[in-house]
Every structure is written in C-alpha cells, then in structure tokens.
Amino acid sequence: MAETRTEALHKNAEGLDIQAPEAILSYLADAQIEAAKVVRHAIPSIARAAEIIAGRLKSGGKLAYAAAGSSGLMALADALELPGTFGIHRDRIAILIAGGDDAFRTLAGGPEDDTEEAAAAVAKAGLGKGDCLIAISASGTTPYAVRAIEEAARCGAATIGIANNRDSALLRQAQTAILLETPPELIAGSTRMGAGTAQKIALNMLSTLTAIHLGHVHDGYMVNLMADNIKLRDRAARIVAAVSGRGTDEAARLLEKSGGAVKTAILLAAGADSTDAAQKILEEAGQKLRPALSALGHDPEKWKPLFGKDHARTKK
C-alpha cells in the first residue's frame, strides 16, 4: 500500500523517545491543535451533510453510523449522545461498528477488514430510501467502512463519508464527502490522536447543526433534551425558566404538566391553553420554538429575559 498522510512521519517525530517529558507533551498538544484547525476547511461540506441528515430525520428516516477502530469510538460517542442531548429517539439511530458488541471490549483490528460483516450490518439496520449513513475512516480505505457506504447507497440511503486522506475510496464513494486533512500523527499511523480529534470535532458540529435544523436548539439551549436524571431535570427547569422568564419552581410545575417536554412547557408559559394546544402549535411550526412563540403573539427576540431578570433582550 502507498503511504498515506495519516501514515507519514511527523516533522517533530525524530528523537521523540529521548526528549524530556514536558517537550513530548508540548509536541502532542501542538499536534492536537494543528489537527483541530483543519476542520474549518470542511465547514461547507459539513453544512451540506447536516441539511441532508436533518431532512431524512424530519421525514421519519434513520441515521446510521458505520466505522471501525478509533473512528468507531468517535461515531459511538456522537450517536449515543443524540437522544439525551437532542431528544432524537434511539430507534432512529443505528450504530454499525466493526466487530459488533465485542468491539466495545477488545477493539480488535481484524474485523475492520470484514466486508461481509459490514454488508450484513447495513441489512440488519434496515437502511433504505429515506435514511442516511455516515461512514468514518481516518485512512479512507477501511474495508468495513467502504463496504458499508456502498451497501447503504445501493439500498437508496443518502451517504456521507468522513476521512482524513484526500481522494480516498471512502470519499469517492460518498455522496457527500467531508475531508479532514489532518497533518501526519506524532506517532505515525496512530489516528486515535490528531485524526480522531478532528473527527470528533466534525461529528460534534454535524450533529449539532442537524439538531438546530430540526428545531432542537433555541438560542443556546437544548430545548428537546431527554431529562432522565436529576441533573437533566434540573437543567430542563432552568431552560424553561431562562426562556420564559418564569421562576424555576413554576418552570418545574409546567414541565410536569407537559410530561417533561421542554418546548411544550415554554409554550404553556407563553400562554398556550393546554398541552395539546402547545403540541399542535409546535407541529404547525415544524417543531421550532421561535415561530411557535410568534404564533402565540410573542416576539421571541424581545420576549422574557434570561433567568427571570426584568430587562428585555432587544434585537442587535
């Protein structure tokens, strides 16, 4: 195989093992910062991908992630947090990782070459027209990820590829390609470092923008979160209080009335007649809180202040 950028030797690698610990750590930190910077170049393609994913999810489709090794861990971290953070139902998310459940314990290298496992995983996930698959591979040549994207496309799903090497097989196969051209790793080929950092940042950006398109974010608040523990129930009450200007006790009462739905509780605070009425307004507003508040006669730009302070926000 020809040497790729992710396998090349870093400019600071020579003599690394005999450097002072502080120098080694400085090189490692600088390499992470270098890797993070390249994500800016991918912003246009990340924006296109987020619009595609949001469209599929809004229409009732599923979002799948397919990857192996370190890239699989990045995919897993992003996928598992979507329900709690943005309220996207778990049955709408599929995680295809080489090696299956065993990968969570051993992360063996062999399964990333198993193309038949990838094809079977796509079939088991039931991907088809109306769904979307994100395949991730630092090298862009991982057989599992490449086969998964081929099979998903064959089934009619939209496909997004994320890779750290230009003109790689994964990016050529993807309908939407996201290139994260990170520098060589300080430890050659150890893509859990710079390449993995860039992947995590790109996935954070991709899923967050998707959630914004879906109406799950209002200002800087996660208004569609799944409040299933003490911390998140407290956060949900503070969000309702912050957006509506009500006290936290009143916000908690409205949340209980709404069955824990943050957006519904905010609309109740804004004057919706009932939970059913609030939910109907949200549905008509495409699940977006700002137009839903406008439908109740409020200007969301000037409406209640943050955390109950008695000064109004004004348009900038």
Side-chain angles (χ1 to χ4, degrees):
M1 293 175 62
E3 183 179 78
T4 58
R5 191 176 177 89
T6 51
E7 296 290 333
L9 197 64
H10 192 277
K11 62 184 179 182
N12 293 329
E14 187 174 351
L16 181 68
D17 52 301
I18 55 173
Q19 296 287 325
E22 291 82 0
I24 295 171
L25 292 175
S26 292
Y27 287 146
L28 286 167
D30 289 344
Q32 294 285 291
I33 293 167
E34 280 187 273
K37 287 179 179 178
V38 308
V39 182
R40 282 195 170 275
H41 301 297
I43 284 176
S45 53
I46 293 172
R48 289 192 297 273
E51 191 171 358
I52 291 166
I53 297 168
R56 296 302 191 275
L57 289 172
K58 190 172 183 179
S59 300
K62 289 183 286 190
L63 171 62
Y65 295 73
S70 297
S71 296
L73 298 181
M74 298 303 104
L76 184 68
D78 196 65
L80 289 181
E81 289 184 331
L82 293 182
T85 304
F86 297 125
I88 297 172
H89 292 295
R90 297 186 189 280
D91 62 4
R92 305 278 297 285
I93 301 164
I95 304 168
L96 285 54
I97 186 166
D101 290 347
D102 288 342
F104 305 144
R105 294 182 291 274
T106 62
L107 207 64
E112 74 174 49
D113 296 332
D114 194 338
T115 56
E116 293 306 311
E117 181 194 340
V122 170
K124 185 177 180 181
L127 298 183
K129 189 176 181 180
D131 299 322
C132 184
L133 178 130
I134 307 169
I136 309 148
S137 163
S139 67
T141 59
T142 305
Y144 183 95
V146 174
R147 180 64 182 276
I149 214 166
E150 289 172 347
E151 286 297 308
R154 188 182 63 79
C155 295
T159 59
I160 296 162
I162 300 177
N164 300 78
N165 283 314
R166 181 178 294 274
D167 197 34
S168 54
L170 186 70
L171 297 183
R172 290 195 300 270
Q173 291 288 343
Q175 293 164 355
T176 303
I178 298 174
L179 171 64
L180 306 173
E181 201 166 20
T182 45
E185 303 288 356
L186 193 60
I187 309 298
S190 184
T191 53
R192 70 187 183 88
M193 299 198 298
T197 293
Q199 289 172 1
K200 183 68 171 74
I201 294 170
L203 286 167
N204 285 344
M205 292 165 63
L206 180 55
S207 55
T208 300
L209 183 54
T210 295
I212 290 171
H213 284 318
L214 291 170
H216 299 337
V217 176
H218 178 84
D219 290 335
Y221 297 110
M222 51 179 86
V223 291
N224 208 48
L225 66 84
M226 185 182 296
D228 57 1
N229 64 26
I230 293 171
K231 177 188 75 175
L232 293 179
R233 284 191 290 272
D234 177 67
R235 180 180 296 164
R238 286 187 287 110
I239 290 170
V240 174
V243 177
S244 70
R246 302 294 183 94
T248 52
D249 289 344
E250 173 69 0
R253 186 190 69 78
L254 292 169
L255 271 170
E256 186 174 350
K257 185 176 180 180
S258 72
V262 172
K263 285 186 276 190
T264 303
I266 291 169
L267 292 181
L268 288 171
D273 294 333
S274 66
T275 296
D276 287 345
Q279 290 172 346
K280 184 178 180 183
I281 292 167
L282 272 174
E283 186 176 340
E284 291 172 349
Q287 297 301 318
K288 295 186 177 182
L289 188 55
R290 202 171 298 274
L293 287 169
S294 295
L296 283 168
H298 295 282
D299 180 350
E301 295 301 322
K302 295 181 179 179
W303 197 45
K304 299 293 184 177
L306 298 181
F307 295 105
K309 294 180 181 177
D310 56 3
H311 63 279
R313 291 179 294 160
T314 57
K315 291 183 181 179
K316 294 182 180 179

